Amino acid sequence: MSKLDTHEVIALSAYAERRLSQAFDYRFGESVTAYLTNTRIVSCCGVGVMHRHIKADSSGRFQDGHRVRTSDIRQAEKHGAFWVLRTLSGSFYVIASFDPHGGRQSLQTFLKLREQGVHLTPQRMQ
């Protein structure tokens, strides 16, 4: 598959698989939209590989192992050993693992920007 193939399934590292399994077993107390691996925060959105998305369907939309870009992050918070993202669309994403090349740092940068008052993407541009 080419790098531009939007349906390319992304392979997981052993670490990401282990964290994903732990996230599946954790009780978050509310409905999880999807679990994300290899996650980074880019332009106030979460970008990662999705797993168990609640809108997955038989036509292939939102299937496990495919990349997803969330809507703007409204809140990032810690639940046990996991970070979760609440988005403007009302989704609740669990970060099972970060991208090994700056993913965790991207979250820290986002949190610092939020303290300074980040301006979210105007609705007409989403």
Side-chain angles (χ1 to χ4, degrees), residues 39-42 73 75-78 82-85 95 98 102-114:
T39 310
R40 321 178 49 92
I41 308 303
V42 179
I73 299 166
Q75 186 175 357
E77 59 194 41
K78 195 85 169 175
F82 301 97
W83 280 95
V84 300
L85 306 175
I95 298 175
F98 288 95
R104 187 172 295 277
Q105 180 60 44
S106 71
L107 174 66
Q108 295 308 317
T109 300
F110 171 78
L111 293 172
K112 286 180 186 175
L113 288 172
R114 288 290 297 197

Side-chain angles (χ1 to χ4, degrees), residues 12-23 37-38 81-82 95-100 104:
L12 293 179
S13 68
Y15 172 76
E17 282 186 25
R18 186 170 55 254
R19 289 283 295 170
L20 190 57
S21 177
Q22 292 168 347
T37 56
N38 296 18
F82 301 97
I95 298 175
S97 70
F98 288 95
D99 183 293
R104 187 172 295 277

Side-chain angles (χ1 to χ4, degrees), residues 86-101:
R86 295 179 188 277
T87 67
L88 283 178
S89 67
S91 296
F92 183 83
Y93 291 98
V94 173
I95 298 175
S97 70
F98 288 95
D99 183 293
H101 306 289

